[in-house]
Amino acid sequence: SLVDVLEETNVRRASYTSLRNSAIRLKDRVSSIPGRILRFSPKLGIAEKLSEDSSSSFGSKIKNFVTDELLSFPDRHSAWILKGYSAAREVIKENDSRIIFSSGPPHSTHIIGYLLKNKFGLPLVLEFRDPWVGNPYHDHKSALFLNLESRLQKKILRSADHIRASTEHLKHHLSSIEPACMGKISVGGAGFPDFINSGAGMDSSRIDDPYTITHAGT
């Protein structure tokens, strides 16, 4: 049952500090300084105010590059790759691990899986619950970073021994990105079918009406 699986699971936690969120907090503090200056300096003229506006616009461009491009590559959780890799490496060393399984998003998890495969030579299984490149809910990236992200995804897809997609649509999306992977992609509901088929936590004798399982995502 699901309870038995959870009791046998050894979770190794890896904490990290989000560099992106730290940069945003710093930006907010810095950007509030001109407003405080203007508030307490009523004698500032129009030229000075225009200069402040121009500086603020330039600062926003810099902020957007740092937070939405540099620190969001390949996703907003990229800062945990180092800690996640370090923790997973210790788990593999301490146990007789035979396979590496990574599930995304966050898709930075797949980078950890890729690095572990190169380190230990173990088979790598990637699970995609949502698209990586081409996901409309991700930050819009410049052509440069989008190209880098696409190249990285293709490299990781080619390195995988098996790929699991949550839907048929996602399967075709991944195979269109890297056609060579078509033969090693299967479709599954990100863990839901096994849970339902096991009957974990359900008393079927008490279910009289149809029920709906909703995957609401983030």
Side-chain angles (χ1 to χ4, degrees):
S1 70
L2 181 63
V3 174
D4 295 330
V5 171
L6 291 177
E7 288 179 348
E8 295 175 3
T9 302
N10 179 21
V11 178
R12 184 71 58 88
R13 299 189 182 278
S15 61
Y16 76 100
T17 299
S18 173
L19 299 179
R20 179 182 183 275
N21 291 344
S22 298
I24 291 175
R25 286 194 294 270
L26 177 61
K27 183 276 300 182
D28 290 340
R29 291 175 183 173
V30 172
S31 63
S32 66
I33 294 176
R36 293 200 296 269
I37 293 175
L38 289 173
R39 191 181 312 121
F40 294 108
S41 303
K43 293 183 180 180
L44 280 177
I46 295 178
E48 286 84 350
K49 289 185 179 181
L50 289 176
S51 178
E52 288 290 350
D53 292 339
S54 176
S55 175
S56 176
S57 176
F58 178 74
S60 295
K61 291 180 180 179
I62 296 297
K63 181 272 298 182
N64 291 338
F65 173 77
V66 172
T67 59
D68 297 338
E69 301 279 356
L70 196 59
L71 298 181
S72 294
F73 178 78
D75 58 38
R76 296 185 176 193
H77 304 281
S78 57
W80 93 288
I81 292 176
L82 183 60
K83 288 290 186 71
Y85 171 77
S86 178
R89 184 181 59 189
E90 294 306 313
V91 169
I92 292 176
K93 288 181 177 179
E94 295 170 6
N95 299 274
D96 184 22
S97 301
R98 300 182 181 180
I99 192 170
I100 299 167
F101 178 86
S102 67
S103 181
H107 296 298
S108 49
T109 305
H110 298 320
I111 296 178
I112 296 175
Y114 172 78
L115 294 174
L116 292 170
K117 176 182 173 66
N118 288 343
K119 172 69 174 178
F120 296 99
L122 295 172
L124 172 63
V125 176
L126 307 175
E127 179 184 65
F128 283 82
R129 304 190 312 276
D130 287 311
W132 181 353
V133 177
N135 190 324
Y137 297 102
H138 285 181
D139 295 325
H140 295 288
K141 291 183 170 63
S142 65
L144 171 62
F145 279 89
L146 184 59
N147 181 265
L148 290 174
E149 195 169 299
S150 298
R151 287 171 177 263
L152 179 61
Q153 179 180 234
K154 287 183 178 182
K155 189 178 186 67
I156 292 176
L157 286 174
R158 288 194 297 266
S159 73
D161 295 274
H162 189 76
I163 302 167
R164 189 164 175 83
S166 59
T167 64
E168 284 286 346
H169 181 77
L170 182 52
K171 174 182 177 179
H172 292 300
H173 171 74
L174 294 172
S175 60
S176 68
I177 292 174
E178 187 52 56
C181 294
M182 183 63 183
K184 59 180 181 182
I185 304 178
S186 63
V187 177
F192 279 118
D194 292 337
F195 173 78
I196 297 305
N197 292 335
S198 70
M202 294 185 179
D203 182 357
S204 58
S205 65
R206 299 181 61 184
I207 300 178
D208 299 321
D209 301 320
Y211 57 91
T212 301
I213 299 173
T214 301
H215 172 47
T218 303

